[in-house]
Amino acid sequence: MSAILVLGLVLGLDNLQVGAALGMLEVSRRRRWAIALAFGACETVMPLLGMLLGRRLGEFLGPFTELFGSAVLALAGLLIIVMSWHERDTSQVAEGGFALLGLPVSLSIDNLLAGVGLGALGHPVLWSALAIGAMSTALCALGLFFGGWLRQRLPGRAELVGGMGLLVLSVLRLLGSDT
């Protein structure tokens, strides 16, 4: 059981980082919770699917898993940076459907593959998925609200920092996937 909780923590760290970057944008409290719950739902459903689909999906996706997730993060970061640079309202990024579907789905593909491994090892399907999903939801919410707290303390355009954070995270994910 403790191995599942540690795995949930590790798989949820990207949600913490993305949540903090999105939290730098002007987002209502209600929207922050909606984003956190969307991340949690994806992070719960994907291991379930992975455990049910088996090993073939992991073989099919292979090295493109990290590339896809990293590309989505980079695009989100660049969008926020460009909008901020041109002094446009960056809250559109967090208010649109992309934050509720695009980012959570792209970041939960690793959970899909983790589910494949957990299923192959015979771990309990429902308990494992719920534990991973709960951990991811909590970490995303922590990031979203911590990012909002940081926004209040940063001078100037905090959304630039958030966009740069997403961009740096995408590059680090790509560099880390080669090692």
Side-chain angles (χ1 to χ4, degrees):
M1 267 197 284
S2 62
I4 299 295
L5 293 176
V6 170
L7 179 62
L9 176 66
V10 170
L11 290 171
L13 287 176
D14 56 354
N15 294 341
L16 174 68
Q17 294 168 322
V18 171
L22 290 176
M24 296 270 208
L25 307 177
E26 259 186 77
V27 183
S28 71
R29 182 185 263 311
R30 184 178 208 178
R31 187 62 173 191
R32 290 177 201 277
W33 280 114
I35 292 170
L37 291 175
F39 270 88
C42 286
E43 301 279 334
T44 302
V45 169
M46 289 297 210
L48 274 173
L49 288 176
M51 286 184 229
L52 297 174
L53 291 175
R55 292 178 188 233
R56 285 198 158 176
L57 189 60
E59 292 170 4
F60 175 73
L61 291 174
F64 297 108
T65 304
E66 280 296 316
L67 180 63
F68 175 74
S70 297
V72 171
L73 280 179
L75 286 174
L78 286 172
L79 176 65
I80 292 169
I81 291 168
V82 168
M83 290 175 74
S84 175
W85 192 261
H86 293 292
E87 297 182 1
R88 293 197 180 140
D89 184 13
T90 55
S91 65
Q92 299 169 31
V93 175
E95 294 295 333
F98 182 69
L100 286 179
L101 187 62
L103 282 174
V105 168
S106 69
L107 288 180
S108 62
I109 292 176
D110 57 344
N111 289 42
L112 181 76
L113 297 177
V116 170
L118 290 172
L121 293 173
H123 285 276
V125 174
L126 188 58
W127 156 251
S128 300
L130 288 174
I132 291 169
M135 186 74 72
S136 293
T137 303
L139 288 171
C140 184
L142 179 66
L144 282 162
F145 288 97
F146 179 71
W149 177 84
L150 269 178
R151 176 181 179 76
Q152 295 172 355
R153 281 143 185 83
L154 284 175
R157 291 185 265 172
E159 60 272 3
L160 272 175
V161 176
M164 290 298 290
L166 288 176
L167 197 55
V168 168
L169 178 60
S170 70
V171 170
L172 290 176
R173 283 175 56 123
L174 281 175
L175 292 175
S177 67
D178 292 339
T179 57

